[in-house]
Amino acid sequence: MFEELWNSTDQVGLNGSEANLSRRRSYDIEEDGNQHPFLTDAWLVPLFFSLIMLVGLVGNSLVIYVISKHRQMRTATNFYIGRFTIKIVVK
């Protein structure tokens, strides 16, 4: 009996994503049946990813600037790090 409950989605014919959609809250669905994306899906997640990308871009640019402008920072290790940051910025 417990195996039947464990594999209940297989018996109904639902895969994982369809089973997750069936569990959505009722207030996320309009009267005409369209589903609103969650607040985090709509703008919060892209905002966080954009901020992370911007911080990384600024940080890598600062590394390149410091290595190129300050003579004492031009060591073999820093050139290696600088080439790595250039690769990330260009990519």
Side-chain angles (χ1 to χ4, degrees), residues 8-46:
S8 63
T9 55
D10 293 335
Q11 293 174 358
V12 179
L14 297 176
N15 63 19
S17 60
E18 290 171 345
N20 288 337
L21 286 176
S22 65
R23 293 184 201 150
R24 284 206 107 120
R25 295 177 282 228
S26 60
Y27 58 84
D28 289 335
I29 301 174
E30 291 181 0
E31 288 101 24
D32 59 354
N34 293 333
Q35 293 180 352
H36 287 293
F38 287 123
L39 183 63
T40 56
D41 293 341
W43 66 275
L44 199 58
V45 172

Side-chain angles (χ1 to χ4, degrees), residues 31-67:
E31 288 101 24
D32 59 354
N34 293 333
Q35 293 180 352
H36 287 293
F38 287 123
L39 183 63
T40 56
D41 293 341
W43 66 275
L44 199 58
V45 172
L47 178 71
F48 282 140
F49 277 110
S50 299
L51 287 174
I52 290 169
M53 185 182 74
L54 184 66
V55 167
L57 183 66
V58 169
N60 286 333
S61 299
L62 285 174
V63 168
I64 295 167
Y65 174 78
V66 167
I67 292 173

Side-chain angles (χ1 to χ4, degrees), residues 69-81:
K69 294 296 178 186
H70 298 285
R71 204 163 217 14
Q72 68 269 21
M73 296 299 291
R74 294 183 186 172
T75 64
T77 304
N78 288 341
F79 274 123
Y80 177 74
I81 293 170

